[in-house]
Amino acid sequence: MSLSLVLRGAVRCNAANLVKSARISPLKAYSTIVANAQRQTLKPLALTKMVAPVVREISVSAPRMASAESSHTAMWTLERLVSVGLLAIIPAAFIVPSQILDALLAISVVIHAHWGVEAMVVDYMRPSVVGNILPKVAHIALIVLSVATLGGLFYFIQNDVGLANGIKRFWAIKGKDAEEKKQS
């Protein structure tokens, strides 16, 4: 508030008064400025044409899609459809492995995990608690991690044995302890 009063008064004051007010203590300077402000009729500095700042949204995520401007039920329904769809896609990908089912599995798992972690970021990284920058950084990091994960899974599906077959091979790995127990 005192800064705005100084800036408003700076237009009407000459340089000598500004230097004089800068030499006195901050508390006395504040009381002097307030007293001068009460004596003078201050007109607020207002531009005739206020231009709204341009703000770019970086995400079309669950919190943004479920904001006040849109329907919460559409996002909720989409999240539930993906969750129920996973119940069918996971067994189908293991029973009949193919690139199409592997891709559906990868997309479903990544978007499901993305929405879950995003809910945690939105709930626990509130700007009122951790500041304005950390929630944005966490959200951008989540987007980068989700895109990188999906890209890596697509690469694995295209250039290797596929997602379901890769998981089957991982489950088939037997450790040294298991082999020793069988022999004894």
Side-chain angles (χ1 to χ4, degrees):
M1 172 150 176
S2 64
L3 179 61
S4 65
L5 289 174
V6 168
L7 292 177
R8 289 178 186 170
V11 175
R12 287 182 216 56
C13 296
N14 58 23
N17 287 338
L18 287 175
V19 170
K20 185 171 68 172
S21 68
R23 279 189 258 159
I24 55 180
S25 72
L27 185 59
K28 192 171 182 182
Y30 178 74
S31 61
T32 305
I33 291 170
V34 171
N36 288 341
Q38 290 173 349
R39 277 186 263 138
Q40 298 176 1
T41 306
L42 289 177
K43 295 179 183 175
L45 294 176
L47 300 174
T48 55
K49 293 183 180 179
M50 292 294 289
V51 178
V54 177
V55 178
R56 294 185 63 149
E57 298 298 328
I58 59 168
S59 134
V60 286
S61 59
R64 300 264 187 241
M65 291 176 73
S67 65
E69 297 89 32
S70 67
S71 173
H72 295 275
T73 57
M75 190 64 209
W76 186 87
T77 304
L78 181 62
E79 289 173 351
R80 298 309 166 267
L81 286 174
V82 169
S83 297
V84 170
L86 277 169
L87 294 174
I89 293 170
I90 291 173
F94 285 99
I95 294 170
V96 186
S98 70
Q99 284 189 344
I100 293 172
L101 285 176
D102 283 346
L104 282 173
L105 179 63
I107 292 168
S108 300
V109 167
V110 169
I111 195 72
H112 183 75
H114 175 84
W115 284 334
V117 175
E118 184 179 44
M120 289 187 285
V121 167
V122 169
D123 286 347
Y124 297 113
M125 296 267 192
R126 292 188 304 266
S128 61
V129 176
V130 296
N132 288 331
I133 295 173
L134 194 58
K136 292 176 184 176
V137 169
H139 197 86
I140 290 170
L142 173 63
I143 291 169
V144 168
L145 181 68
S146 296
V147 168
T149 302
L150 189 60
L153 289 174
F154 281 160
Y155 180 82
F156 186 73
I157 291 167
Q158 186 68 32
N159 297 320
D160 211 334
V161 295
L163 193 55
N165 285 332
I167 293 171
K168 285 180 185 178
R169 285 186 182 185
F170 182 73
W171 286 341
I173 296 174
K174 294 181 181 172
K176 293 179 183 178
D177 295 336
E179 290 178 14
E180 290 175 4
K181 287 181 183 178
K182 277 188 176 180
Q183 292 176 356
S184 55

